[in-house]
Amino acid sequence: MTAAPSPFCTPCEVLDTAALDIAQLAHACAQPTGWVVQRVQEEVLHIDGDSGQGDSEWRFSSRTLLRARRIAHLETAYDADPQLAALAADLMEEVQTLRRLLHERGQERH
């Protein structure tokens, strides 16, 4: 039996544009739109700064999509509190950034 792909190591292209609406983000995370609304209200997920006031006008970047998928996975797989899942996602993002910097600096030396 093959395990479902993990959102932690699935390679993808990160785009900076805020192209996803709330329904698309919820669908991509396999969560209801209420889950997204609650995570935005708890400041676990952030809407694009240019988005409108109502949740139907919110737009999300692909970076937020990756974060939301990680958080949803942590909450589901480990029954994690949203704030704890967000902290874990923050740490994962920081580790990725540090690894990228180390790799770039290693390439400069050669």
Side-chain angles (χ1 to χ4, degrees):
M1 184 186 314
T2 322
S6 170
F8 304 122
C9 23
T10 306
C12 65
E13 182 179 355
V14 176
L15 306 172
D16 287 332
T17 59
L20 299 171
D21 65 22
I22 189 170
Q24 292 167 325
L25 181 68
H27 178 74
C29 296
Q31 298 291 333
T33 56
W35 181 89
V36 176
V37 171
Q38 184 179 8
R39 298 314 175 272
V40 169
Q41 290 171 344
E42 294 173 347
E43 298 182 1
V44 169
L45 296 175
H46 302 284
I47 58 173
D48 181 63
D50 296 332
S51 293
Q53 295 297 320
D55 58 8
S56 63
E57 298 176 23
W58 290 351
R59 295 293 175 262
F60 300 91
S61 68
S62 58
R63 213 173 280 286
T64 300
L65 169 61
L66 292 174
R67 178 177 175 77
R69 290 186 69 196
R70 282 186 181 118
I71 290 169
H73 177 76
L74 289 166
E75 288 179 17
T76 304
Y78 301 104
D79 195 28
D81 175 82
Q83 296 294 329
L84 180 60
L87 176 62
D90 289 343
L91 293 173
M92 288 178 208
E93 292 164 7
E94 187 67 26
V95 167
Q96 285 180 330
T97 299
L98 292 171
R99 284 183 177 158
R100 188 185 76 249
L101 288 172
L102 282 173
H103 179 73
E104 288 171 2
R105 298 241 169 120
Q107 294 296 333
E108 290 174 4
R109 291 182 184 161
H110 295 285

